[in-house]
Every structure is written in C-alpha cells, then in structure tokens.
Amino acid sequence: MVRVAIQLAPERADYDAIRRAASEAEALGVDAIFNWDHFYPLGRDRTGKHFECWTMLGAWAESTRRAEIGAMVSCVSYRNPDLLADMARTVDHISGGRLILGIGAGFREWEATEYGYEFGSPAARVREMGEALGRIESRLAVLNPPPTRRIPILVAADGPRALRLAARHADIWHTFADGEAFSRKSEQLDEHCREIGRDPAGIERSSFVAGDPWVVGAELRRRGIGMVTVIAGGPRYDLGELRRWLAWRDETT
C-alpha cells in the first residue's frame, strides 16, 4: 500500500490557515502531515510570512489526532542533536506516538548565515549529519521517559555518502530524484544496506509527487515508492491535489 502525505509549507500564510489545512488534510484521510525547517519562504521573495518548524509541530501534536506529523526535513545544523532528540521525544509523547523525525543536511547557505549558523561544504554537512544521527539515536535511548515507540527516522539523501547514512539510520528514505534517477539511487541504497547486513525492504522509499495519480501512480509503485508527498503552499492551502491522490490510494490499494 502506498501512503499519501502532504507538506504544508509554513509560508505566506497566517497560522490559522495552516492549522485549518492540517485539520482538513487529516479529516480527508492523509497518512502524514509535514512542514519544513526553513526560516524564510522559498523562492525569490523572502519577505513573506513564515513560521518556525518545531514550535509548529508541538502545536500540531495537540491539534491533530490520527495522522503522523513531522518535518520534511529538519536541518541538523540548526539544533544541538541531543536537544533535537529531546524535542522529538517530547512531540512524540504530546502526539501519542505520531512523530516522524525527518533529518537533512541543509542546502540554503544564505538562510543559515542570516541566523548565525556555519554552513560548511557539502561533504562537511553530510559528515555533520552522520554525527548528528548517531547522537540522536544515543540520546533517544537514554531519555526518561523514553519515546512512546521507536520514532521513525526519515533521512533525506541523494549523494553516495548520504545514502550510506540512510542505509544505516533511516526507516524512511526521501529523495528529490525521480524516474530513472530515483531507481539508480534506490539500487545504491539497497547495495549499501547489503554491505552492512540490513534488509533493504526495511526502508520505506519516499518522494514528492505532482500530476495525475492515475497517470503517474503506477510507475511510482513499480519503482518501489511507498510514500508520496503532495506539496501545498500558503496563503490559501488548496488541497485539491491531495484529494486526488487520496482517491487514487483508496481505489488502487
């Protein structure tokens, strides 16, 4: 079965609109609701309204009841990894065990600089992500009280080094690649899993989607994608595309 998620971009909108969109998406039957971990809107116009990721997840933990919630994805350089683990454990408890912990290396240098964070080379950022994942897992193992469940870790990864980290740490692998590029990266992930003795089937494959699901959905399933994520942005969140993907999910699975 393919799961359908939505990313509600927390940009250019009042929070009331974001909360209503999250509640409506859950009522429609979405499997997971994500925001993102940025400080400004994406695109050329940086002046629009924007809200912070993890504060919002704490609110969603109370305002939703069934769908999983999380960041797609949380930049590891923005928070101490042990603190991030504690934040995740807390949101896990508030939500009744519905958090997905999304992790990525970050890609917006100007945004990091604006908020006073160092922004290293791609190799340095992937190395930092690997160190952070280890610390997060170690901290989650000793927190009191512990998480309500083993919190699923989603790793956004495209390059070879990051894919190795996904093979070791991820329950869900997310990529921006599509088509044949997705399949090549998925095969690389499988190989990295086999190198460390892990069953590749234990990692769910995740991708953003657009278009008519009855046209493109069959290929996504053939390529092994287990979770598809529709993106909706403010100021008014149009959930029409989400409705189509949910209808396709319910009709074909």
Side-chain angles (χ1 to χ4, degrees), residues 213-234:
W214 283 274
V215 174
V216 302
E219 180 182 354
L220 297 176
R221 295 181 68 181
R222 180 177 63 80
R223 295 188 187 278
I225 293 174
M227 181 166 67
V228 297
T229 300
V230 175
I231 302 174

Side-chain angles (χ1 to χ4, degrees), residues 1 35 63 94 98 129 167 175 203 217 221-222 228:
M1 177 177 179
N35 59 11
S63 66
I94 296 170
R98 293 183 290 117
M129 183 168 71
T175 176
I203 301 178
R221 295 181 68 181
R222 180 177 63 80
V228 297

Side-chain angles (χ1 to χ4, degrees), residues 8 16-30 33 60 63-66 239:
L8 297 174
D16 285 348
I18 299 173
R19 182 179 58 236
R20 285 195 301 271
S23 296
E24 183 180 355
E26 182 172 56
L28 290 170
V30 76
I33 307 169
W60 284 1
S63 66
T64 62
R65 292 290 179 268
R66 180 196 54 78
L239 303 188

Side-chain angles (χ1 to χ4, degrees), residues 71 73-76 84 101-105 129 132-133 136 153-157:
V73 288
S74 192
C75 179
V76 294
L84 181 58
L101 178 52
I103 297 294
M129 183 168 71
L133 284 163
I136 288 167
I153 294 177
L154 180 152
V155 176

